[in-house]
Amino acid sequence: MNKTKNTLFSGKRVIIDNNSLIMAIESSCDETACAIVKGGREVLSNVVASQIKIHEEYGGVIPEIAAREHLEAVNVVIDEAFKQAGVTGGDISAFAGTVGPGLVGCLLVGLNAAKTLALAFDKPFIGINHLNAHLAANFIDTDLEPPFVALLVSGGHTQIIKVNTYSDMQIIGETIDDAVGEAYDKVARLIGLPYPGGPKLDKLAQEGNPFAFKLPEAKVGEYDFSFSGLKTAALRLVKSFDGKELPLKDICASFQECVSSTLYKKIKHALEETGYKQVVLAGGVAANSEIRKKIFSLSDLGYKVYAPQMKYCTDNASMVASAAYFFENTFDNIDVEVFSRVKA
Ligand code: KG4
Ligand code: ZN
C-alpha cells in the first residue's frame, strides 16, 4: 500500500510505503507514549510511560497533573523510541500525533512534540483520531484489511463500527450513557478496588461464579448500549449485603458476565446484518479476559476474529503510527487543533 504526503517546508511529495517508518506520539490521557512502526504493521519500538501510580492516589486522572507529567516524560519516551529502534529523525518518513478525543492539556503536549519533530526534519505531519488508533492496533503483526465490523470498548467510548474501507467507516451503534471501561471503573470503585478498577475487577471475576447474581441487560436500540442501569443494579446488590462481607468474586463475575454477553449478542447481530466475515475488538477493555473469550468464540461460527495483543489494547503510540499509515481520514495539517470530544 502506497500513499503520498506533502512535506512541510519543501513541499516535496513523500511516498509512504511498506518500508516507511512512522514515528507517533500519544498523550491523550494518562500514558505518554512514543513508537516507531514500519509499514504500518511492524513495531520497531514501543515506549510507554504510565502515570497510573500517580493517579491511583486520587482514584482517577487529574487532568492538570497528567498534563505536567506528559511534559516531564515526552522527551524521554521520544529518545528511548529512537534508541530502541536504532534509527534517527532523518530515517522517519512522517510524524504522527493524537489530536483527540482526550484531555486537552494532555493532547497538546504530545501533539506539539510530534509537530515540532515534523517541522525540524521537514517531514509530513499526520494528526490521528484516538479511536481510529485503537482500531489500528489490530493491523500490528497481522494481515487484517477492511471490510470488518469493529467493537470498540474503551474508558471513554463504546461503539460498533462498520469499517468498509480505509477511508469509509460508519458508527452503527454506541452507548447512550456510560462507556464499558467507565462502567468497569465505577463498579470497581463501588466495591473498593483501587483505580483503574477494570483490570482488577476482571481478575477477581475469573475466580467467581458468573451466574451467582442476575444483573439486568438494558433494552436499547439494536446496536446501542446502556450501562448506567447495570451500574445502579450493582450498587443495589452491594447495599443488599448491608455492611456484611461482600462476595466480591461472585459480584465481579456476574457483572462481567452481564457486560460480556451483551457485547457478544450485539456484535454477533451486527455481523449477521452486515454480512461481514471479519470482526475486530479494540480499545482498553479489549484486554478483558471474558470479552476476549466470547468474541474469539465467534470463530466457531466461521468469522475471522482479531483482537490486539495485550500491550496494544490500552493507550500506546504504535497504534497511532499504524492508523497514520492505513487510514485516509487523518488530519494532515500542521495547524490542526486538539479536541476533547468526538467530532461529528
Ligand atoms: O482505551 P483506554 O486506554 O481508554 C480510553 O481511550 O478511553 O482504556 C482504559 C480503560 C479503563 O477504563 C480500564 O479500566 C479498562 O480500559 N480496562 C479494562 C481491562 N483493562 C483495561 N476493563 C476491563 N477489563 C480489563 N482487563
Ligand atoms: Zn485509549
Side-chain angles (χ1 to χ4, degrees):
M1 175 181 151
N2 282 355
K3 55 177 159 183
T4 55
K5 299 266 172 191
N6 280 329
T7 54
L8 298 170
F9 288 150
S10 56
K12 266 194 328 240
R13 305 283 286 168
V14 169
I15 296 171
I16 296 182
D17 62 20
N18 282 341
N19 290 314
S20 301
L21 306 186
I22 296 183
M23 174 179 252
I25 302 178
E26 152 64 38
S27 66
S28 63
C29 189
D30 57 351
E31 262 96 26
T32 324
C34 184
I36 298 174
V37 176
K38 184 177 171 185
R41 300 200 192 261
E42 187 188 341
V43 175
L44 303 190
S45 59
N46 181 62
V47 183
V48 183
S50 172
Q51 306 176 3
I52 285 180
K53 282 268 157 298
I54 295 157
H55 300 294
E56 213 171 50
E57 217 181 299
Y58 305 98
V61 178
I62 309 289
E64 287 77 11
I65 297 178
R68 214 167 51 222
E69 291 297 321
H70 284 304
L71 266 178
E72 295 270 327
V74 73
N75 286 341
V76 180
V77 296
I78 292 168
D79 285 347
E80 189 58 28
F82 276 130
K83 204 164 110 197
Q84 285 184 15
V87 301
T88 61
D91 300 320
I92 305 292
S93 297
F95 292 89
T98 308
V99 176
L103 300 168
V104 165
C106 297
L107 287 161
L108 276 170
V109 177
L111 192 69
N112 283 326
K115 286 179 176 182
T116 306
L117 284 162
L119 286 168
F121 291 101
D122 190 24
K123 293 290 165 64
F125 165 77
I126 307 174
I128 295 296
N129 179 313
H130 184 69
L131 304 180
N132 286 353
H134 273 301
L135 293 184
N138 284 283
F139 295 128
I140 298 170
D141 293 335
T142 69
D143 53 5
L144 173 68
E145 288 177 5
F148 54 82
V149 178
L151 174 63
L152 178 88
V153 278
S154 75
H157 298 85
T158 302
Q159 298 178 337
I160 296 184
I161 309 159
K162 211 173 140 221
V163 181
N164 305 315
T165 66
Y166 292 115
S167 57
D168 173 27
M169 49 180 99
Q170 291 157 264
I171 298 166
I172 59 172
E174 58 191 326
T175 181
I176 59 167
D177 41 55
D178 290 351
V180 178
E182 194 179 353
Y184 262 90
D185 294 339
K186 284 179 179 168
V187 170
R189 186 199 269 247
L190 188 72
I191 58 175
L193 303 177
Y195 172 87
K200 297 176 184 86
L201 198 161
D202 180 13
K203 207 146 181 240
L204 286 173
Q206 291 173 49
E207 294 169 34
N209 172 7
F211 305 104
F213 304 104
K214 179 95 188 99
L215 292 166
E217 264 183 49
K219 305 241 175 317
V220 282
E222 58 178 338
Y223 303 125
D224 289 334
F225 303 95
S226 163
F227 295 106
S228 69
L230 172 61
K231 195 181 57 192
T232 311
L235 174 65
R236 235 181 271 126
L237 177 63
V238 167
K239 280 195 172 152
S240 73
F241 287 92
D242 204 17
K244 289 197 280 291
E245 195 185 340
L246 293 173
L248 274 189
K249 292 175 181 170
D250 287 348
I251 293 176
C252 291
S254 303
F255 171 81
Q256 182 138 298
E257 176 59 27
C258 183
V259 173
S260 57
S261 58
T262 304
L263 295 174
Y264 174 82
K265 278 184 224 163
K266 299 258 169 168
I267 196 74
K268 181 166 170 277
H269 180 51
L271 284 165
E272 287 161 355
E273 293 292 310
T274 57
Y276 284 4
K277 296 288 173 233
Q278 303 192 102
V279 55
V280 155
L281 184 63
V285 189
N288 182 270
S289 62
E290 188 57 33
I291 296 171
R292 281 179 98 87
K293 198 161 111 197
K294 286 202 170 62
I295 301 299
F296 271 110
S297 77
L298 286 164
S299 62
D300 300 341
L301 304 177
Y303 296 105
K304 202 154 179 207
V305 185
Y306 293 83
Q309 296 166 47
M310 289 307 223
K311 63 182 165 191
Y312 303 128
C313 285
T314 40
D315 292 348
N316 65 87
S318 295
M319 66 185 193
V320 180
S322 188
Y325 182 85
F326 284 107
F327 289 129
E328 301 293 336
N329 301 338
T330 52
F331 304 89
D332 300 353
N333 175 358
I334 197 81
D335 295 326
V336 65
E337 305 274 4
V338 299
F339 62 89
S340 61
R341 291 176 171 275
V342 179
K343 286 189 166 170

